[in-house]
Amino acid sequence: MRKEYAKMDAALLHQTNKKVILKLIKEKSQISRSELSRATGLTPPTITRIVNELVDSEGIAEYVGVGNSSGGRPPVIVKFKYESNCIIGIDLGATYIRGCLVDLNANFISEIQVPTEIERGFDSIIEKVVQVINKLQKRKEKDARIWGVGIGVAGLVHSETGIIESSPDFGWSNVSLREVLEKKLDVPFFYDNSTRLMALCELKLGERQNLKNFTVINFGYGIASGLVIEGNLVKGYAGFAGEFGHIVVDTNSKVQCKCGMYGCLEALASGHRIANRGKAEMENGNADLLKDLCNNNSNLVTAEQVARAAKMGDVACLKIYDEVSEYLCKGIGTIANLLNPQTVYIGGGISLSGQFLFDLIENKKSKYLLPANINVQILPSSFGEQTTEIGAVSLVLDKIMNLELSAKKK
């Protein structure tokens, strides 16, 4: 029994050392084996054995020659091999399905966007996702490898079973996406809640990767959040943490949310609500600038059009966004006072309204923040409308860096 434990411990230690070395190689882009030995305290033979595995077995590193010697043998240089290794990221949204093919440094190689057309049903949506993935696979270089596919989907994704228990945007409940995609894809794939992947994106690839405590708000036709506490992505007991849109911000409201409650942030401040408010203002003879933008057709009103009209000075649309930003600040105050994040990122389609929205939030936030949290930074997400795609890429990259996934030649 002791020998079995010893073997297990040795294998675990080797795997741990291998992860550390791979992380160092990626962070430095290229580094000598002697530098790896000094940085980790591992012996040169151990370093050589592990690097050889990363080069020969994993195909995720490569030798690129030798450096200058200061006496003795010249140092052997090893490089993170990102160029010929690829990941596909998919943003499965209610309006568009966006897909990207990137290398392991998240440099874009190709991108595809198609309308989701949710009215055509589940099978049609899945077929479109598969078609986007297949097209992206064909756009890689001949000798490049596809490591896997990451997918961000709006909905409550159970962290253990992978069941999408509820997705109001799609009208899905208890959907096994894994079971369906396993029959259609020949590459490894992983999926999670799109907003949680937005947070993972900031954590792993964002402009400020050293942040350990922050929140990402997905402000679109629904509202949700991804939470990072002490450098860890928070999932909760079953994977449903971060339902920021269902904080009640008006207990007297008669506006009902899709979740069944009244006065939720999502019911009062989402893109869906903004569009409906704009439509109502037009039909009541207000919002003249919005009317011009939509050719006097209330069916063409979107949250983006309401934002455009507001920025142009439309009084009715300004009032809508003023109220929306007030509700949003109530929600931000709740989450900031509870979790004390350093930064709150706002992404999603409505965040693309621009500085106009952030100025409104900045002017109102102090009413809802404790003095200790008044300096919380509220910033746009690092990757704009591509945040969920890159988050899906981050999901696969995380598997690679933890040595939980091997590349598959295509």
Side-chain angles (χ1 to χ4, degrees):
M1 184 65 72
R2 286 182 180 175
K3 287 184 179 180
E4 289 179 7
Y5 275 121
K7 287 179 181 178
M8 184 172 64
D9 290 345
L12 182 61
L13 180 61
H14 178 75
Q15 192 77 348
T16 301
N17 289 337
K18 198 170 173 182
K19 290 179 190 178
V20 170
I21 290 169
L22 177 57
K23 184 179 179 182
L24 279 169
I25 294 171
K26 185 177 188 301
E27 286 177 351
K28 299 293 184 181
S29 184
Q30 62 181 44
I31 187 172
S32 71
R33 290 191 313 205
S34 55
E35 287 176 304
L36 286 170
S37 182
R38 287 193 294 271
T40 61
L42 297 173
T43 64
T46 299
I47 293 291
T48 299
R49 183 168 64 253
I50 290 175
V51 170
N52 283 346
E53 288 179 16
L54 294 172
V55 171
D56 298 329
S57 302
E58 309 293 346
I60 198 171
E62 61 182 339
Y63 287 116
V64 290
V66 295
N68 296 323
S69 173
S70 56
R73 291 183 178 179
V76 178
I77 308 297
V78 60
K79 174 189 173 188
F80 184 65
K81 190 177 179 182
Y82 64 89
E83 300 101 326
S84 57
N85 289 299
C86 302
I87 297 171
I88 291 172
I90 300 291
D91 174 6
L92 176 48
T95 306
Y96 293 104
I97 298 168
R98 294 187 175 96
C100 64
L101 176 70
V102 303
D103 64 27
L104 294 194
N105 275 350
N107 298 311
F108 272 57
I109 298 167
S110 184
E111 190 174 20
I112 295 173
Q113 176 177 296
V114 298
T116 309
E117 298 178 307
I118 59 174
E119 69 278 1
R120 300 184 68 174
F122 178 78
D123 291 340
S124 172
I125 292 170
I126 295 303
E127 197 55 43
K128 283 194 173 193
V129 169
V130 172
Q131 287 173 4
V132 168
I133 291 169
N134 289 338
K135 286 180 181 178
L136 288 168
Q137 283 180 295
K138 292 175 182 177
R139 294 183 181 183
K140 71 174 185 62
E141 295 293 330
K142 181 179 178 182
D143 295 326
R145 294 180 175 187
I146 301 287
W147 284 77
V149 177
I151 304 171
V153 58
L156 298 177
V157 181
H158 196 290
S159 56
E160 295 297 325
T161 65
I163 297 291
I164 301 173
E165 298 208 356
S166 173
S167 178
D169 287 2
F170 291 100
W172 297 346
S173 60
N174 296 317
V175 169
S176 179
L177 197 59
R178 179 178 295 136
E179 186 178 315
V180 175
L181 290 178
E182 278 178 346
K183 299 173 183 176
K184 296 177 179 290
L185 297 177
D186 60 352
V187 289
F189 65 89
F190 309 89
Y191 58 91
D192 203 342
N193 171 269
S194 56
T195 308
R196 190 152 50 235
L197 293 187
M198 290 171 68
L200 184 66
C201 171
E202 296 290 353
L203 180 65
K204 299 295 183 179
L205 298 171
E207 295 174 1
R208 306 165 75 206
Q209 293 176 43
N210 59 332
L211 286 186
K212 290 188 176 181
N213 293 279
F214 64 88
T215 296
V216 174
I217 295 172
N218 188 354
F219 185 24
Y221 273 76
I223 300 178
S225 69
L227 311 172
V228 173
I229 299 175
E230 292 303 306
N232 296 306
L233 188 64
V234 176
K235 291 190 173 184
Y237 170 66
F240 305 154
E243 286 302 303
F244 174 69
H246 303 293
I247 293 174
V248 175
V249 290
D250 185 353
T251 55
N252 297 316
S253 175
K254 295 181 180 179
V255 180
Q256 188 173 22
C257 181
K258 291 178 182 178
C259 72
M261 296 192 296
Y262 290 84
C264 289
L265 183 59
E266 185 168 307
L268 296 174
S270 65
H272 182 73
R273 173 67 170 170
I274 293 169
N276 284 344
R277 287 281 308 279
K279 183 177 180 179
E281 290 292 346
M282 265 184 61
E283 291 174 347
N284 289 334
N286 301 319
D288 289 339
L289 291 176
L290 179 62
K291 189 182 298 184
D292 291 341
L293 289 173
C294 298
N295 297 317
N296 201 24
N297 184 349
S298 61
N299 292 322
L300 298 179
V301 174
T302 64
E304 291 79 10
Q305 295 286 48
V306 176
R308 285 183 63 195
K311 285 187 281 187
M312 292 166 64
D314 189 300
V315 175
C317 293
L318 276 168
K319 184 180 179 183
I320 292 170
Y321 263 88
D322 190 67
E323 291 179 5
V324 161
S325 62
E326 189 84 27
Y327 287 129
L328 194 58
C329 284
K330 284 185 180 182
I332 290 172
T334 299
I335 208 164
N337 293 334
L338 182 66
L339 299 178
N340 185 222
Q342 183 178 345
T343 303
V344 173
Y345 291 103
I346 301 181
I350 311 304
S351 73
L352 301 177
S353 304
Q355 193 58 41
F356 157 74
L357 173 65
F358 288 89
D359 288 343
L360 285 171
I361 292 169
E362 194 64 32
N363 290 334
K364 296 174 182 294
K365 70 176 186 180
S366 60
K367 292 190 288 183
Y368 304 104
L369 293 167
L370 289 169
N373 291 318
I374 201 67
N375 292 322
V376 62
Q377 291 184 294
I378 301 175
L379 302 172
S381 59
S382 298
F383 296 93
E385 63 183 6
Q386 296 172 325
T387 302
T388 300
E389 285 173 84
I390 300 297
V393 166
S394 300
L395 182 62
V396 180
L397 184 59
D398 206 37
K399 300 285 184 183
I400 295 169
M401 296 304 295
N402 282 301
L403 302 172
E404 297 172 4
L405 187 60
S406 296
K408 180 174 181 179
K409 284 194 174 182
K410 292 295 294 171

